[in-house]
Amino acid sequence: MRWTKFTIDTTEEAEDLVSALLYDYDITNIEIEDKAAVTPLEGEDYEELVPDRGADDGKSQVIFYVEEGKDYGKLLEDIRLGLDDLRKTADIGAGTIDISSSDESDWRDKWKEFFHTFTVGDYTVIPSWENIKSDADPKHIIRMDPGITFGTGKHESTRMIIEELPSYIKGGEKVLDLGTGSGILSMIALREGAAEVTATDIDPATESAVAENFKRNDLPTEKIKLLIGDMSSDKEVQAKVGDGYDVVCANILADIIIGMLPAIRKAIKKGGYFLTSGIIDFKEKEVTDELEKNGFQIKLINHDGEWVSIVACCK
């Protein structure tokens, strides 16, 4: 399959803002390329093997893909207008958009230069081109390649939920994974002993990604019910999701989380836990205020760089 590749030239300071803009247009297959130093967190066993990219110049490229043959004229116009709005309040650098073509196999091979085995919480994430250590605990091994859908566990927002999730899965829980992407949170919930998982995502590419990842990790697909659609507004999706969930996860941007809260409140049981991440720090109070308005009690707030993760209990 061939893809049209769009590269936005921006700054390291603005790359999260530009990524958030793309999320507003349901673009989740995002890459970020910059020369910022990669520093492992204390106590984490990273094997990044990042190639020498030269001195950090503060510049960044935010990259996304659209399947070739699709009309992207209106999308580009909207993104350019959004970049102009961002320019009023932040230094976004050039803010230009370069267009090129990319073959999916070439795009996947590029990841092999810098995506290597890494640990997050109790789990070790291993790409298919690297070997599992002989003494590794199979329960805590996730085989996964970077793909078109979001979520390998490497990003701060995903990592914070992975680190917290085992504390809320004791065995037999019913779990809802909103914006599942690659399915990594669903897989970890099942590995921790959840009885079943319902997952939602707006991207149809999620179906093949989740099926592939479940197969790769010897997890039964009958344990997951995957729904494609917008949980915040799609009544059919909300009906199929149902209610009575012990744990709900959402690694999505703050504005989307806020829009979903009424539907989440109906889906989660009293005393159930909502684990959410993907929140930029300046949105933290807005999210906590909305959680409390919707009948949740804040139990835990974690920070990692500019990202915030919140655990709340349904009252």
Side-chain angles (χ1 to χ4, degrees):
M1 182 180 294
R2 293 193 63 80
W3 299 82
T4 302
K5 176 181 178 182
F6 300 89
T7 303
I8 301 174
D9 289 311
T10 184
T11 63
E12 291 172 5
E13 180 182 354
E15 60 190 24
D16 286 334
L17 294 174
V18 174
S19 297
L21 170 65
L22 297 179
Y23 271 98
D24 286 342
Y25 293 100
D26 297 335
I27 298 169
T28 57
N29 52 327
I30 298 171
E31 295 177 31
I32 293 178
E33 292 186 358
D34 57 34
K35 296 180 180 178
V38 178
T39 305
L41 295 178
E42 183 178 356
E44 300 246 2
D45 180 23
Y46 284 89
E47 298 177 27
E48 299 290 350
L49 302 181
V50 179
D52 184 7
R53 298 167 296 176
D56 185 4
D57 56 8
K59 295 180 180 179
S60 175
Q61 291 185 326
V62 178
I63 300 164
F64 66 97
Y65 299 82
V66 174
E67 187 178 342
E68 280 197 358
K70 291 190 175 181
D71 183 6
Y72 50 78
K74 175 65 165 58
L75 174 65
L76 280 188
E77 182 181 354
D78 289 342
I79 291 173
R80 287 193 176 104
L81 289 173
L83 290 171
D84 287 342
D85 284 340
L86 289 179
R87 202 186 303 276
K88 297 173 185 176
T89 56
D91 177 13
I92 67 166
T96 55
I97 306 176
D98 180 67
I99 305 173
S100 60
S101 292
S102 176
D103 186 88
E104 183 174 349
S105 60
D106 295 337
W107 178 70
R108 288 179 183 273
D109 286 343
K110 184 180 179 183
W111 282 95
K112 295 182 182 181
E113 298 176 14
F114 59 91
F115 186 82
H116 297 274
T117 297
F118 67 97
T119 60
V120 51
D122 292 331
Y123 284 83
T124 301
V125 180
I126 304 177
S128 60
W129 54 85
E130 294 192 355
N131 295 321
I132 299 174
K133 294 179 180 178
S134 58
D135 60 347
D137 176 6
K139 174 185 173 181
H140 293 117
I141 293 293
I142 298 290
R143 300 281 340 209
M144 180 178 292
D145 293 349
I148 297 166
T149 54
F150 179 77
T152 60
K154 220 165 195 284
H155 192 274
E156 295 92 334
S157 62
T158 315
R159 183 169 66 228
M160 284 192 284
I161 286 192
I162 292 174
E163 290 171 345
E164 290 297 333
L165 187 55
S167 298
Y168 300 92
I169 306 288
K170 305 302 181 184
E173 286 82 3
K174 184 179 179 182
V175 176
L176 176 59
D177 178 11
L178 300 171
T180 189
S182 65
I184 188 168
L185 297 180
S186 294
M187 291 191 290
I188 288 174
L190 291 172
R191 286 277 180 84
E192 290 295 323
E196 59 180 277
V197 175
T198 297
T200 73
D201 204 286
I202 59 172
D203 187 352
T206 300
E207 292 183 290
S208 58
V210 169
E212 180 181 339
N213 286 327
F214 267 59
K215 181 179 179 181
R216 184 177 283 153
N217 288 279
D218 296 321
L219 285 166
T221 54
E222 59 266 22
K223 289 279 187 133
I224 184 171
K225 177 171 70 174
L226 177 60
L227 304 171
I228 303 300
D230 186 348
M231 176 69 174
S232 62
S233 59
D234 191 324
K235 300 299 183 184
E236 183 178 352
V237 170
Q238 292 174 8
K240 289 180 178 178
V241 164
D243 56 19
Y245 289 92
D246 301 284
V247 177
V248 178
C249 302
N251 181 26
I252 315 175
L253 294 177
D255 289 341
I256 301 174
I257 292 167
I258 290 170
M260 282 187 176
L261 280 177
I264 293 170
R265 182 66 179 80
K266 292 178 181 178
I268 196 169
K269 65 166 56 172
K270 185 177 180 180
Y273 286 93
F274 179 38
L275 284 65
T276 182
S277 192
I279 303 163
I280 296 291
D281 50 12
F282 61 81
K283 289 277 190 177
E284 178 183 330
K285 186 176 188 307
E286 185 177 352
V287 174
T288 56
D289 287 349
E290 289 298 322
L291 280 165
E292 290 171 347
K293 286 179 186 177
N294 281 273
F296 288 90
Q297 181 180 6
I298 308 302
K299 291 293 187 181
L300 181 68
I301 299 177
N302 289 320
H303 297 85
D304 190 344
E306 295 178 315
W307 296 96
V308 180
S309 176
I310 299 170
V311 177
C313 182
C314 181
K315 295 189 286 187

